[in-house]
Structures are given as structure tokens and as C-alpha cells.
């Protein structure tokens, strides 16, 4: 046993700077070495929750190891996650995904739940997309399940019972969540709640604007959504509508948009601010006309005679 040696069973595929290796060996903390190798292997930033699940460590142990790596100058202390790449996932080998699904219980459970949400088994192409969202974008399983459930509910509401979103549609939404840095259940719930609030506000405005016998056009929806995102509430938008109809006699979206953009540029967003600091432009009053006199031939003399008779009385 005294002559036993240790060697890697496979050729090394990653390289570590000698100075980094020296720091890891001298720190005496195996969790630091595990986290370092894990991040080196993944080639991207990972949140503590995901690293905890993959390494079999507690979240606190991962955070403590991360703090020690920061102190040693081996971990970037900047933003936890870089911006998501372009709307395209890397191409994965089918065999690799099968191996990962066997070794990764979280992804295996995610596959099972995805079948339940979508109501059908996933094709090979669908499985690759789901794995890409899970592995490349780094969305935790519980967040990804909430995303898929939200997409499924939206499709049923929009297209009727039995309709389910494609994995491409789910992929597109996943990139949106990744760019918004929605990586926890709390962040996901906040995003969905804000979307529900905006949807309710749009429906309220549609009704208040007198549009009841048809759906809003995409342009009309975009106007309303943009105004809500600028920070205008329902009452303020209806004030712009009232001014539009008063000035033009009808609902004219570009005219109404100019009013709201003008308020936004002045920093006026609440009804109180608008009433106090923005008023309708005053209309010019017609110039006062001099008293009318009789312009007929001889009319001026007749007027003088009438005035003379009054003075005699």
C-alpha cells in the first residue's frame, strides 16, 4: 500500500493555473476545491442553490466556499450571472442527455413533470430543448416548472382546452426569464403577479374606452402596455383619453400617445401631478368688435339725428 499511486482514469480536459492550484491546496478546504472544479467544469456562473443540488452540499456550505474563493481571488465578486446569450441553445448530443438524465435526479424528475404539464411525452428534439434550458440557461427545476405551467395556462386561455405550448415557445419564454434574472420561486411569482396586474389593467382600460364589441388590435395593446410600463395608472390614462376626445372628438391613439409622452417627459404620472402642473392650452378669444353702425348711404346722418332727438328729450 505504501507504493500506491493515484492517477486520473481519463485524460484531463480542463486546465488549472498553477497559482490557483497552489491556493486551493494550501487553503485546506475541500469544499473550495469542489466548488472551483464545479465552476470550471460548467464554464459559467451558477447560483448557490443549483450548485448545492449538484454538489450535494448545503447552500450555506456552498456560500461559505464561495466567500473563501473570493478572498483568495479565485472567484469573480461581480454579478452572479452574465447576460443570457442570443436566443439559441447549444446543440447537445442525445447520448450525453441520456447519461445526464440517468445521473441527475433533478433533470429526470423535470422530464416527468414536463410530460404531465404538456400532456404528452417529449420527443428527442423537445428533450434537447428542455435540457438546454435547464443546463445552459441554468433555470432551477422548480422555476422551470412554474414557467411551463404558466405557458400552458396561457395557451389554454388563448386557444381553448387541450392546446399546449410547443417547446420552442417555452424556450423563447425561458430566455426572457433568464434575461430578467428570474432564478428563484419568489422572483417567478413576482413576475407572474405583475403580468396578471397589467393584464387586468388592460382589460379595465378596454372597457372604459368603450371598446366592448371587439378585441384590441396588437397596436392598441402595445399602446396600453407601453403606457402602463411608463408608470401611468388607469385614471391617468383615462384623463388622456378625455382630453383626446375633447380636443379631437374621437379616440385617436397617436394623439393620445403624444399627450401621455408629453406628461412622461415632464415627470407627470399621477392624476394629482397632472391636474396641478399640466393644463389644457387656452383657446384665443375672438377680438372685441366695435359697436355696429348703420353703413347704408345716409345712415350716419340718420344716426346723428336720432341721437339729437334723444338729447332734446
Amino acid at each position: 500500500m505504501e507504493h500506491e499511486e493515484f492517477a486520473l482514469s481519463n485524460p484531463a480536459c480542463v486546465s488549472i493555473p498553477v497559482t490557483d492550484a497552489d491556493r486551493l491546496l494550501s487553503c485546506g478546504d475541500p469544499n473550495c476545491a469542489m466548488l472551483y472544479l464545479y465552476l470550471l467544469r460548467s464554464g459559467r456562473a451558477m447560483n448557490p442553490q443549483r450548485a448545492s443540488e449538484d454538489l450535494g452540499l448545503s447552500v450555506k456550505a456552498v456560500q461559505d466556499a464561495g466567500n473563501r474563493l473570493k478572498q483568495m481571488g479565485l472567484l469573480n465578486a461581480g454579478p452572479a450571472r452574465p447576460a443570457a446569450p442570443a436566443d439559441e441553445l447549444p446543440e447537445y448530443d442525445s447520448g450525453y442527455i441520456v447519461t445526464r438524465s440517468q445521473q441527475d435526479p433533478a433533470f429526470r424528475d423535470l422530464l416527468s413533470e414536463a410530460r404531465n404539464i404538456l400532456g404528452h411525452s417529449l420527443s428527442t428534439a423537445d428533450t434537447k430543448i428542455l435540457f438546454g434550458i435547464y443546463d445552459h440557461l441554468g433555470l432551477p427545476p422548480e422555476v422551470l416548472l412554474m414557467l411551463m405551467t404558466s405557458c400552458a395556462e396561457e395557451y389554454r386561455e388563448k386557444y381553448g382546452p387541450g392546446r399546449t405550448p410547443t417547446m420552442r415557445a417555452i424556450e423563447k419564454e425561458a430566455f426572457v426569464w433568464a434575461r430578467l434574472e428570474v432564478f428563484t420561486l419568489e422572483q417567478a411569482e413576482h413576475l407572474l403577479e405583475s403580468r396578471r396586474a397589467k393584464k387586468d389593467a388592460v382589460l379595465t382600460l378596454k372597457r372604459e374606452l368603450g371598446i366592448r364589441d371587439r378585441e384590441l388590435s396588437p397596436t392598441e395593446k402595445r399602446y396600453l402596455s407601453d403606457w402602463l410600463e411608463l408608470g401611468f395608472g388607469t385614471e391617468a390614462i383615462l384623463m388622456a383619453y378625455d382630453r383626446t376626445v375633447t380636443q379631437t372628438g374621437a379616440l385617436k391613439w397617436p394623439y393620445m400617445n403624444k399627450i401621455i409622452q408629453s406628461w412622461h417627459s415632464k415627470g407627470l404620472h399621477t392624476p394629482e401631478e397632472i391636474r396641478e402642473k399640466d393644463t389644457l392650452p387656452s383657446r384665443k378669444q375672438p377680438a372685441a368688435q366695435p359697436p355696429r353702425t348703420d353703413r347704408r348711404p345716409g345712415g350716419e346722418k340718420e344716426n346723428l339725428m336720432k341721437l339729437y332727438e334723444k338729447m332734446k328729450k
Side-chain angles (χ1 to χ4, degrees), residues 139-140 143 176-184 187-189 191:
L139 292 180
V143 172
V176 172
W177 286 37
R179 288 197 176 90
L180 293 174
E181 297 187 353
V182 179
F183 294 109
T184 67
Q187 292 169 334
E189 290 170 355
L191 173 64

Side-chain angles (χ1 to χ4, degrees), residues 184-232:
T184 67
L185 284 177
E186 292 77 12
Q187 292 169 334
E189 290 170 355
H190 177 73
L191 173 64
L192 295 177
E193 179 59 34
S194 64
R195 286 182 174 180
R196 283 191 290 267
K198 180 190 287 189
K199 183 178 180 180
D200 291 343
V202 169
L203 291 175
T204 298
L205 286 167
K206 175 179 179 290
R207 183 174 61 253
E208 294 294 333
L209 295 175
I211 304 173
R212 295 182 174 85
D213 57 346
R214 63 175 179 83
E215 294 297 321
L216 291 169
S217 71
T219 300
E220 291 171 334
K221 287 182 180 178
R222 186 165 60 251
Y223 271 127
L224 294 177
S225 295
D226 288 348
W227 298 339
L228 290 168
E229 289 179 1
L230 288 177
F232 291 94

Side-chain angles (χ1 to χ4, degrees), residues 7-235:
L8 294 175
S9 58
N10 294 308
C13 297
V14 295
S15 61
I16 303 176
V18 173
T19 54
D20 288 9
D22 289 342
R23 291 175 186 175
L24 289 171
L25 292 171
S26 63
C27 78
D29 187 342
N31 290 345
C32 286
M34 284 180 62
L35 182 59
Y36 181 97
L37 291 173
Y38 172 74
L39 294 173
L40 184 65
R41 167 65 181 82
S42 65
R44 58 191 174 87
M46 300 291 286
N47 61 49
Q49 180 65 43
R50 177 68 180 277
S52 168
E53 295 171 356
D54 291 345
L55 294 175
L57 300 173
S58 68
V59 174
K60 185 178 185 306
V62 170
Q63 291 173 334
D64 290 343
N67 289 332
R68 291 206 64 182
L69 289 175
K70 288 179 183 178
Q71 294 171 359
M72 290 187 288
L74 300 180
L75 192 65
N76 186 358
R81 185 178 300 270
D87 293 353
E88 185 176 350
L89 296 173
E91 188 67 30
Y92 289 92
D93 179 73
S94 299
Y96 174 71
I97 295 177
V98 171
T99 301
R100 281 291 301 272
S101 65
Q102 294 172 346
Q103 298 175 347
D104 188 341
F107 181 66
R108 189 164 60 246
D109 293 342
L110 182 61
L111 273 173
S112 177
E113 291 296 330
R115 297 188 194 101
N116 295 333
I117 293 172
L118 300 179
H120 59 79
S121 297
L122 273 63
S123 66
T124 301
D126 288 345
T127 303
K128 286 183 177 181
I129 293 174
L130 182 61
F131 181 77
I133 296 171
Y134 171 77
D135 183 71
H136 183 67
L137 294 184
L139 292 180
E142 64 275 12
V143 172
L144 188 45
L145 287 175
M146 185 175 287
L147 183 152
M148 287 191 289
T149 300
S150 173
C151 288
E153 290 175 351
E154 182 178 345
Y155 261 64
R156 283 195 295 269
E157 181 179 339
K158 189 173 183 180
Y159 301 109
R163 296 295 298 274
T164 57
T166 64
M167 283 304 300
R168 286 297 180 188
I170 292 174
E171 175 191 354
K172 183 178 180 181
E173 181 68 0
F175 271 98
V176 172
W177 286 37
R179 288 197 176 90
L180 293 174
E181 297 187 353
V182 179
F183 294 109
T184 67
L185 284 177
E186 292 77 12
Q187 292 169 334
E189 290 170 355
H190 177 73
L191 173 64
L192 295 177
E193 179 59 34
S194 64
R195 286 182 174 180
R196 283 191 290 267
K198 180 190 287 189
K199 183 178 180 180
D200 291 343
V202 169
L203 291 175
T204 298
L205 286 167
K206 175 179 179 290
R207 183 174 61 253
E208 294 294 333
L209 295 175
I211 304 173
R212 295 182 174 85
D213 57 346
R214 63 175 179 83
E215 294 297 321
L216 291 169
S217 71
T219 300
E220 291 171 334
K221 287 182 180 178
R222 186 165 60 251
Y223 271 127
L224 294 177
S225 295
D226 288 348
W227 298 339
L228 290 168
E229 289 179 1
L230 288 177
F232 291 94
T234 302
E235 186 179 352

Side-chain angles (χ1 to χ4, degrees), residues 240 243-244 254-264 278:
R243 183 172 297 189
T244 299
Y255 188 94
M256 190 169 166
N257 185 53
K258 288 182 179 179
I259 293 173
I260 292 180
Q261 293 296 337
S262 173
W263 289 344
H264 181 65
D278 190 77

